[in-house]
mmCIF file of all heavy atoms in Angstrom:
data_model
loop_
_atom_site.group_PDB
_atom_site.id
_atom_site.type_symbol
_atom_site.label_atom_id
_atom_site.label_comp_id
_atom_site.label_asym_id
_atom_site.label_seq_id
_atom_site.Cartn_x
_atom_site.Cartn_y
_atom_site.Cartn_z
ATOM 1 N N PRO L 1355 9.076 10.181 50.728
ATOM 2 C CA PRO L 1355 9.240 9.253 51.830
ATOM 3 C C PRO L 1355 9.550 10.017 53.136
ATOM 4 O O PRO L 1355 10.333 10.940 53.151
ATOM 5 C CB PRO L 1355 10.417 8.360 51.418
ATOM 6 C CG PRO L 1355 11.113 9.125 50.343
ATOM 7 C CD PRO L 1355 10.064 10.017 49.704
ATOM 8 N N VAL L 1356 8.901 9.604 54.185
ATOM 9 C CA VAL L 1356 9.099 10.221 55.485
ATOM 10 C C VAL L 1356 10.340 9.606 56.137
ATOM 11 O O VAL L 1356 10.473 8.394 56.204
ATOM 12 C CB VAL L 1356 7.857 10.024 56.377
ATOM 13 C CG1 VAL L 1356 8.055 10.654 57.740
ATOM 14 C CG2 VAL L 1356 6.652 10.580 55.692
ATOM 15 N N LYS L 1357 11.197 10.480 56.625
ATOM 16 C CA LYS L 1357 12.387 9.959 57.287
ATOM 17 C C LYS L 1357 12.032 9.459 58.674
ATOM 18 O O LYS L 1357 11.312 10.108 59.421
ATOM 19 C CB LYS L 1357 13.441 11.067 57.410
ATOM 20 C CG LYS L 1357 13.974 11.534 56.077
ATOM 21 C CD LYS L 1357 14.993 12.603 56.262
ATOM 22 C CE LYS L 1357 15.526 13.099 54.941
ATOM 23 N NZ LYS L 1357 16.518 14.146 55.084
ATOM 24 N N ALA L 1358 12.532 8.304 59.000
ATOM 25 C CA ALA L 1358 12.274 7.698 60.293
ATOM 26 C C ALA L 1358 13.115 8.389 61.358
ATOM 27 O O ALA L 1358 14.245 8.815 61.112
ATOM 28 C CB ALA L 1358 12.561 6.204 60.263
ATOM 29 N N ALA L 1359 12.551 8.518 62.536
ATOM 30 C CA ALA L 1359 13.277 9.121 63.649
ATOM 31 C C ALA L 1359 14.400 8.183 64.047
ATOM 32 O O ALA L 1359 14.252 6.955 64.018
ATOM 33 C CB ALA L 1359 12.327 9.375 64.813
ATOM 34 N N PRO L 1360 15.544 8.748 64.437
ATOM 35 C CA PRO L 1360 16.644 7.859 64.848
ATOM 36 C C PRO L 1360 16.246 7.093 66.116
ATOM 37 O O PRO L 1360 15.632 7.616 67.039
ATOM 38 C CB PRO L 1360 17.804 8.829 65.146
ATOM 39 C CG PRO L 1360 17.166 10.163 65.320
ATOM 40 C CD PRO L 1360 15.881 10.136 64.523
ATOM 41 N N LYS L 1361 16.587 5.831 66.127
ATOM 42 C CA LYS L 1361 16.246 4.977 67.247
ATOM 43 C C LYS L 1361 17.231 5.168 68.388
ATOM 44 O O LYS L 1361 18.438 5.334 68.179
ATOM 45 C CB LYS L 1361 16.250 3.520 66.814
ATOM 46 C CG LYS L 1361 15.180 3.184 65.787
ATOM 47 C CD LYS L 1361 15.205 1.711 65.414
ATOM 48 C CE LYS L 1361 14.143 1.399 64.434
ATOM 49 N NZ LYS L 1361 14.144 -0.011 64.045
ATOM 50 N N ALA L 1362 16.681 5.140 69.578
ATOM 51 C CA ALA L 1362 17.533 5.237 70.770
ATOM 52 C C ALA L 1362 18.213 3.908 71.010
ATOM 53 O O ALA L 1362 17.632 2.857 70.780
ATOM 54 C CB ALA L 1362 16.667 5.623 71.992
ATOM 55 N N PRO L 1363 19.428 3.918 71.440
ATOM 56 C CA PRO L 1363 20.152 2.660 71.688
ATOM 57 C C PRO L 1363 19.490 1.903 72.852
ATOM 58 O O PRO L 1363 19.105 2.468 73.856
ATOM 59 C CB PRO L 1363 21.578 3.098 72.038
ATOM 60 C CG PRO L 1363 21.435 4.512 72.433
ATOM 61 C CD PRO L 1363 20.293 5.077 71.721
ATOM 62 N N VAL L 1364 19.355 0.612 72.651
ATOM 63 C CA VAL L 1364 18.757 -0.257 73.664
ATOM 64 C C VAL L 1364 19.885 -0.961 74.415
ATOM 65 O O VAL L 1364 20.804 -1.505 73.807
ATOM 66 C CB VAL L 1364 17.829 -1.289 73.002
ATOM 67 C CG1 VAL L 1364 17.206 -2.205 74.032
ATOM 68 C CG2 VAL L 1364 16.765 -0.557 72.218
ATOM 69 N N ALA L 1365 19.786 -0.925 75.766
ATOM 70 C CA ALA L 1365 20.859 -1.509 76.581
ATOM 71 C C ALA L 1365 20.932 -3.015 76.369
ATOM 72 O O ALA L 1365 21.963 -3.547 76.055
ATOM 73 C CB ALA L 1365 20.628 -1.178 78.038
ATOM 74 N N ALA L 1366 19.841 -3.701 76.546
ATOM 75 C CA ALA L 1366 19.847 -5.133 76.366
ATOM 76 C C ALA L 1366 18.546 -5.539 75.708
ATOM 77 O O ALA L 1366 17.463 -5.337 76.268
ATOM 78 C CB ALA L 1366 19.987 -5.842 77.725
ATOM 79 N N ALA L 1367 18.650 -6.058 74.529
ATOM 80 C CA ALA L 1367 17.461 -6.478 73.788
ATOM 81 C C ALA L 1367 17.064 -7.891 74.232
ATOM 82 O O ALA L 1367 17.889 -8.801 74.239
ATOM 83 C CB ALA L 1367 17.727 -6.453 72.297
ATOM 84 N N VAL L 1368 15.833 -8.008 74.641
ATOM 85 C CA VAL L 1368 15.318 -9.302 75.076
ATOM 86 C C VAL L 1368 14.577 -9.930 73.894
ATOM 87 O O VAL L 1368 13.676 -9.320 73.341
ATOM 88 C CB VAL L 1368 14.348 -9.130 76.274
ATOM 89 C CG1 VAL L 1368 13.794 -10.463 76.712
ATOM 90 C CG2 VAL L 1368 15.080 -8.441 77.421
#
Side-chain angles (χ1 to χ4, degrees):
V1356 178
K1357 294 181 181 179
K1361 295 182 180 179
V1364 179
V1368 178

